[in-house]
Amino acid sequence: MLSRMQYDIMQSSGHAIGVLLAEMQEENELFASASTLQCVEAHLLVIAQTLAHLSPTLHRHLLQLDWHGWERLHQLLVQNLEPRREEVWYGINALVPATLELIAQLRRQEPGWFEIDY
């Protein structure tokens, strides 16, 4: 049940990032909009924190995930360190899509791990 909740949290944050960026034409638009950037960074932090709390089993089955990239982004966001533009942009364009796809693949391969038991 926990894995399913974590999956849903990450999917929701990934979707929210997509919605926030949908109207933007280029990278500079995001970094010129402090409020949108703050929302995007908040969703990136949610994903990073959720990944940090995955079970060891899921962690072992997601070896292709860029764990170092997520850890670095998490550190920058939690500690509010600057500059972090490159890491945020990498998170949006590489980490989020790859992570969501890898977790979706794992869910298809091992659906029992993501069931909600009542």
Side-chain angles (χ1 to χ4, degrees), residues 8-46:
D8 289 345
I9 289 167
M10 289 186 285
Q11 288 290 331
S12 177
S13 284
H15 176 74
I17 290 170
V19 169
L20 286 164
L21 299 177
E23 298 296 321
M24 297 194 171
Q25 302 296 318
E26 60 180 31
E27 176 181 350
N28 289 333
E29 284 185 69
L30 171 63
F31 293 98
S33 174
S35 61
T36 302
L37 179 60
Q38 183 179 12
C39 289
V40 167
E41 287 182 344
H43 285 292
L44 288 170
L45 183 58
V46 166

Side-chain angles (χ1 to χ4, degrees), residues 18 23 28 30 36-38 44 48 50-51 53 65-66 76 89 94 97 101 103 109:
E23 298 296 321
N28 289 333
L30 171 63
T36 302
L37 179 60
Q38 183 179 12
L44 288 170
T50 303
L51 286 168
H53 291 94
L65 217 145
D66 182 358
L76 291 171
W89 193 245
E101 179 57 32
I103 291 175
Q109 292 168 356

Side-chain angles (χ1 to χ4, degrees), residues 101-113:
E101 179 57 32
L102 288 169
I103 291 175
Q105 286 175 7
L106 183 58
R107 184 175 176 209
R108 287 189 297 274
Q109 292 168 356
E110 299 291 345
W113 293 352

Side-chain angles (χ1 to χ4, degrees), residues 2-3 6 10 47-71 99 102-103 106-107 109-110 113-114:
L2 179 59
S3 297
Q6 291 168 322
M10 289 186 285
I47 296 171
Q49 289 173 332
T50 303
L51 286 168
H53 291 94
L54 289 182
S55 71
T57 300
L58 290 181
H59 197 280
R60 282 191 305 272
H61 283 84
L62 293 168
L63 295 176
Q64 294 173 324
L65 217 145
D66 182 358
W67 292 104
H68 177 72
W70 276 113
E71 288 171 18
T99 299
L102 288 169
I103 291 175
L106 183 58
R107 184 175 176 209
Q109 292 168 356
E110 299 291 345
W113 293 352
F114 297 90

Side-chain angles (χ1 to χ4, degrees), residues 66-114:
D66 182 358
W67 292 104
H68 177 72
W70 276 113
E71 288 171 18
R72 176 71 178 139
L73 183 57
H74 184 235
Q75 177 186 29
L76 291 171
L77 294 172
V78 167
Q79 296 176 5
N80 199 26
L81 299 174
E82 295 286 348
R84 62 177 178 244
R85 181 178 175 140
E86 288 182 25
E87 290 84 354
V88 168
W89 193 245
Y90 175 68
I92 292 165
N93 290 291
L95 291 176
V96 171
T99 299
L100 297 179
E101 179 57 32
L102 288 169
I103 291 175
Q105 286 175 7
L106 183 58
R107 184 175 176 209
R108 287 189 297 274
Q109 292 168 356
E110 299 291 345
W113 293 352
F114 297 90

